[in-house]
Amino acid sequence: VRTVPDAALVWRDGCILWSGPRTLLPPEHLHADTVSAGGGLVVPGLIDCHTHLAFAGWRADEFEERILGRSYLDIARAGGGIQRTVAQTRAASEDALFERCASHLREMAALGVTTVECKSGYGLDVEHEVKLLTVYQRLSATQSLRIIPTLLAAHAVAPEFGGRRNAYLRLVTRDIIPRVVHAGLARFCDVFVEEAAFSLEEARRVLAAASALGLRAKLHADQLSDGGGARLAAEVHAVSADHLEQISADGIACLAAAHVVAVSLPFAALYLGARPMPARALLAAGVPVAVATDFNPGTAPSFHLPLAMTLACTLQRMTPAEAFCGATLVAAAALDRHDELGALDPGYAADFAVIDAPDVETWLYHFRANACRQTWVGGQRVH
Ligand SMILES: [Zn+2]
């Protein structure tokens, strides 16, 4: 990370043309319209590369139950957790979900966020998975932040299938995936690989069906137990493997060899009181580590990405510069968009935020409710 004092940034038609010290500004740009950053720190717009943005209801009561000692899996087995949010999300109208998401996105924009990856996964049938992804499509068309949609039909087995896992997987691979791809509603396909969710073999089936129709893989892997999820992410050339709190040495070597981005989600570790991702071991092995919020109503009920960056420093021992890259250029790589998003170099989108801090280290160290003063997407001010 390089801080340029007294810098200038030039953009046209939403795209950066030049950046560097103001004294070196090429003469052809001297008479352009100017906007002052007011002495603030201009950074690439933050990229939240892992959220479950669209859901109805909250689960504050489960938050308290977990504090009192009940485990996440225990709550899920008793009908809480994901299944409870599925019931509430199915009952919510598309318009109600749209309004709720739009409100969250306005708050995220105020924090300096310019791109948000959004997963489905609280619908678990054709109608409601399509409803969630349609909400993302409408948001993409009507509000300013960039939305990257991911299909996560394999988040849990839908309740109406009871124990009939294979029947649900057939619905996912034969109905949901083709419907979503045909309508152009998702860029990636994600699977929750976990003892309480889907096995490696089941994930392979889902990802093979998605890959055959052009969706690249992302994985929720090795969160609550080391189930070999990282090895699978490498095997299927996933664009990212997310969580990885329990990743093994073998898993780390696999991700490094296959150039898979590891996405750390420090809120989940914070809220579950669990071990965080071993980011230092991943970085030492050469695995790029992104930082995201995992915004969801259970294990990460916050979309405050700058706080997640500070937590990546304190919980995972990432340096402020590493956490900052993790929420900008490396996060863009986790979305396969690192050629156009996440940096302030010529050719990149003019997505940036103005932060009231002298440098990245001070910004993430002196944590405040919000240090962001301006947010711009595609050269347009959105906050
Ligand atoms: Zn997640």
Side-chain angles (χ1 to χ4, degrees), residues 45 124 233 240 258 272 307 325 332:
L124 308 187
S240 73
L272 292 174
L307 176 57
C325 292

Side-chain angles (χ1 to χ4, degrees), residues 50 52 119 220 243 265 294 296:
H50 183 136
H52 303 254
K119 300 178 196 298
H220 280 67
H243 276 296
L265 305 166
D294 193 18
N296 76 72

Side-chain angles (χ1 to χ4, degrees), residues 195-353:
E195 219 176 284
F198 295 96
S199 71
L200 294 173
E201 202 37 57
E202 290 167 339
R204 266 191 201 97
R205 279 168 59 189
V206 172
L207 296 174
S211 163
L213 295 178
L215 297 184
R216 279 194 76 184
K218 285 179 153 297
L219 281 182
H220 280 67
D222 303 338
Q223 179 187 5
L224 307 172
S225 56
D226 168 27
R231 175 172 276 278
L232 175 65
E235 175 192 314
V236 300
H237 304 289
V239 67
S240 73
D242 303 30
H243 276 296
L244 307 175
E245 285 87 341
Q246 310 292 332
I247 190 172
S248 63
D250 170 70
I252 292 173
C254 289
L255 293 186
H259 306 290
V260 177
V261 178
V263 178
S264 69
L265 305 166
F267 279 133
L270 179 79
Y271 275 86
L272 292 174
R275 183 173 95 179
M277 170 202 270
R280 285 262 61 92
L282 283 147
L283 289 164
V287 179
V289 178
V291 179
T293 63
D294 193 18
F295 176 55
N296 76 72
T299 54
S302 171
F303 45 69
H304 202 305
L305 186 51
L307 176 57
M309 293 157 72
T310 293
L311 291 173
C313 300
T314 58
L315 299 179
Q316 301 175 175
R317 295 179 48 235
M318 289 173 76
T319 65
E322 287 166 342
F324 171 71
C325 292
T328 52
L329 195 55
V330 181
L335 301 175
D336 198 22
R337 298 287 293 272
H338 49 296
D339 291 335
E340 43 183 329
L341 302 177
L344 295 179
D345 296 330
Y348 278 79
D351 294 2
F352 55 91

Side-chain angles (χ1 to χ4, degrees), residues 177-212:
I177 291 174
R179 254 301 273 286
V180 164
V181 170
H182 186 69
L185 289 172
R187 305 255 315 229
F188 300 102
C189 181
D190 197 339
V191 178
F192 189 13
V193 179
E194 189 59 56
E195 219 176 284
F198 295 96
S199 71
L200 294 173
E201 202 37 57
E202 290 167 339
R204 266 191 201 97
R205 279 168 59 189
V206 172
L207 296 174
S211 163

